[in-house]
Amino acid sequence: MADWPKAARVALAQGPTALVTILATEGSAPRGAGARMVVTGDALHGTIGGGALEWRVTEQARAILALPPGSWRVQDYPLGPLLGQCCGGRVRLLVERLDPVASEWIEAFEKGEEIVARLETETISRASFPGLRRGSVGARGPLPEAGVEFTEPMETPGSPLILFGAGHVGRAIADRAPGLPLHLAWFDSREDAAAYPGVMLAEESAMIDCARTAPADAAILIVTHDHGLDYKLTAAALAGEAGYVGLIGSATKRARFLSRLAEEGVGAARLICPIGLPGVTGKEPAVIAIAALAQILSLGQRAA
């Protein structure tokens, strides 16, 4: 369980507090349904991911702090031109001002109880209904209105997978990631990569910053079209906290990168290159993709 319930209780004791909840996603999205972020006038707790998405939603959350407790909005965000991106992903969010006198549901949710929410005209009512599931909110279709009931989403267990590159191997990895306990965020800097659903176009500088700031439970796979960009992403990822840093390439490429990293004082003990489970030697994109995903999953199981 994430620590947002504790953050929400502390924030509510200090003043107006907003909660952002991902209700549903489609395609490539930084976090899954159930991810939450607590927002106050001067602080954030938790993350829904996405950089520009989070910045825009934080504005909405702070605006709702001026409204009465219980106020809510449901908002769709296509992860495309609105946020300076171009991909097939989309996120549906609930932004609400938490009501301190109707916040007992947070503790019940923290304990694992099933919580059903009902959108009222001016507020949200919630109650615990063990064993009674009311369904969920989808990522498409009309926005939920007053009268809609749904079970509060709980984020599916899984780790972030940050994939850089939309070439043959990148596409093979992205095609096989759905259904695995991984939350995929997929980036490329080339305009023609927009042809592939799920890719988020980003400037190289933004990709490098993403690699550097990835959380400790993230896996990073670097499979771009450009060795120079590969190196920048590798150095940034190794300077950060990501638990898995995988780089596509041969033993020769690995040796060259290690030499340059050593010259620049970057520790490379975490670098995995070539990627994939040892013993799987096929060079076909599908084989590389399966071997790399299996390697990431196996590392997670060993750490559990």
Side-chain angles (χ1 to χ4, degrees):
M1 175 66 67
D3 62 358
W4 73 264
K6 178 180 178 181
R9 288 194 295 270
V10 171
L12 278 170
Q14 297 174 347
T17 302
L19 180 67
V20 178
T21 301
I22 296 182
L23 296 177
T25 67
E26 180 181 276
S28 178
R31 298 288 297 274
R36 289 173 168 84
M37 179 172 67
V38 177
V39 182
T40 65
D42 59 2
L44 300 176
H45 306 273
T47 178
I48 58 168
L53 169 67
E54 190 165 288
W55 175 78
R56 184 68 60 86
V57 175
T58 298
E59 285 189 325
Q60 274 202 327
R62 288 187 169 140
I64 213 169
L65 293 175
L67 300 181
S71 298
W72 58 272
R73 300 287 186 272
V74 177
Q75 178 69 53
D76 282 355
Y77 279 97
L79 301 177
L82 179 66
L83 300 177
Q85 300 169 341
C86 186
C87 71
R90 58 190 293 119
V91 176
R92 177 163 284 179
L93 298 165
L94 171 66
V95 182
E96 60 181 301
R97 178 175 170 183
L98 291 174
D99 187 345
V101 301
S103 61
E104 65 279 353
W105 71 272
I106 296 175
E107 183 175 355
F109 185 84
E110 188 176 24
K111 294 177 180 177
E113 295 183 23
E114 186 172 278
I115 304 296
V116 172
R118 178 180 174 84
L119 301 180
E120 309 286 358
T121 302
E122 297 181 352
T123 189
I124 302 176
S125 61
R126 292 181 170 95
S128 177
F129 292 95
L132 179 62
R133 190 163 186 82
R134 298 293 179 89
S136 59
V137 174
R140 287 191 177 270
L143 291 175
E145 299 178 345
V148 169
E149 291 186 348
F150 58 90
T151 302
E152 282 285 347
M154 185 175 293
E155 190 170 19
T156 302
S159 300
L161 170 58
I162 302 173
L163 174 62
F164 296 109
H168 294 299
V169 174
R171 298 198 300 274
I173 292 169
D175 286 345
R176 289 159 179 81
L180 300 178
L182 300 167
H183 299 301
L184 175 66
W186 185 21
F187 302 94
D188 199 290
S189 60
R190 297 169 295 171
E191 291 293 332
D192 58 359
Y196 306 113
V199 178
M200 289 183 275
L201 294 186
E203 298 289 338
E204 288 188 5
S205 59
M207 293 167 61
I208 292 166
D209 185 61
C210 179
R212 183 182 298 109
T213 59
D217 63 340
I220 293 177
L221 281 172
I222 301 167
V223 295
T224 83
H225 63 290
D226 183 342
H227 279 213
L229 178 57
D230 280 354
Y231 179 80
K232 294 175 184 177
L233 290 168
T234 299
L238 291 172
E241 298 182 353
Y244 174 98
V245 180
L247 168 68
I248 193 167
S250 63
T252 300
K253 180 177 179 179
R254 173 186 171 85
R256 289 176 177 171
F257 274 39
L258 288 178
S259 176
R260 185 174 173 187
L261 289 166
E263 290 177 0
E264 297 181 3
V266 179
R270 303 195 326 276
L271 180 62
I272 305 296
C273 179
I275 55 174
L277 287 176
V280 181
T281 58
K283 296 183 179 180
E284 299 85 353
V287 173
I288 296 172
I290 292 170
L293 290 168
Q295 184 177 48
I296 291 170
L297 294 175
S298 70
L299 292 173
Q301 290 172 350
R302 290 202 294 269

